[in-house]
Amino acid sequence: MRIALVAHDGKKQELLEWTQYNFPVLKEHILCGTGTTATLIRNETGLDVEILKSGPKGGDAQIGARIVEDRLDALFFFWDPEAAQPHDPDVKALLRLATQYNIPVAMNRATADILVGSPLFYEDGYERALYNPQMRDPYAVIDQAEQAVI
Ligand SMILES: O=C(CO)COP(=O)(O)O
């Protein structure tokens, strides 16, 4: 799976500890993350995490673009409900796109645990259906080429 790891400052330690605990699982996947989060996880765990821009500098937007381009399969985003973010519109946009494109999203540790505890997490063939009421089968799995002609 292609996975993005993101945490706001007040949640970075929690996400770091979660990645340390889940190192054996995560090392089997393709990882990226927003700048500060990805750097922290790389340095502290040794996981090969691609470092994107920092969140306030467009990192959330980069991850959103990966979702739209079908280049991401799961998002672990520990956002901080107790801290205002200068780039809140980007955060909202990322969460919106993740929902729109039916991306599994863990926004806290319990959800992250349940996500990696699911057998589906380890199935290469799992296909995310995109709900589209305009199609005869509204739950058909649509690939990028088909989406373009709708
Ligand atoms: O702000 C973020 C997500 O909205 C995270 O960005 P950093 O990982 O660069 O701190």
Side-chain angles (χ1 to χ4, degrees):
M1 277 216 203
R2 299 156 301 176
I3 295 170
L5 301 165
V6 186
H8 288 151
D9 289 351
K11 292 284 175 179
K12 282 188 170 60
Q13 189 60 31
E14 197 178 2
L15 182 62
L16 173 63
E17 285 170 21
W18 185 84
T19 58
Q20 286 168 328
Y21 184 79
N22 289 285
F23 180 90
V25 171
L26 293 173
K27 74 176 177 30
E28 304 300 329
H29 296 275
I30 298 164
L31 307 173
C32 68
T34 47
T36 321
T37 306
T39 304
L40 178 72
I41 293 171
R42 262 192 98 95
N43 291 345
E44 297 296 323
T45 68
L47 282 165
D48 185 14
V49 189
E50 180 186 355
I51 301 169
L52 303 175
K53 297 279 187 193
S54 184
K57 300 285 187 200
D60 300 70
Q62 283 182 293
I63 294 171
R66 287 186 182 210
I67 290 173
V68 174
E69 293 167 358
D70 198 18
R71 294 168 57 213
L72 198 80
D73 301 305
L75 172 62
F76 292 78
F77 187 174
F78 288 15
W79 58 272
D80 189 347
E82 298 188 11
Q85 303 295 328
H87 56 300
D88 190 54
D90 293 15
V91 174
K92 273 205 180 119
L94 173 55
L95 294 175
R96 175 183 172 273
L97 290 170
T99 302
Q100 185 175 17
Y101 283 82
N102 198 18
I103 297 286
V105 182
M107 297 194 278
N108 57 33
R109 195 167 179 155
T111 314
D113 286 339
I114 288 171
L115 203 56
V116 297
S118 165
L120 294 177
F121 195 78
Y122 305 90
E123 267 184 30
D124 275 350
Y126 179 75
E127 293 185 280
R128 285 175 291 104
L130 294 185
Y131 178 73
N132 185 338
Q134 284 151 10
M135 291 189 65
R136 203 173 305 134
D137 174 3
Y139 287 103
V141 174
I142 310 168
D143 68 22
Q144 291 293 306
E146 281 171 321
Q147 281 183 49
V149 297
I150 289 171

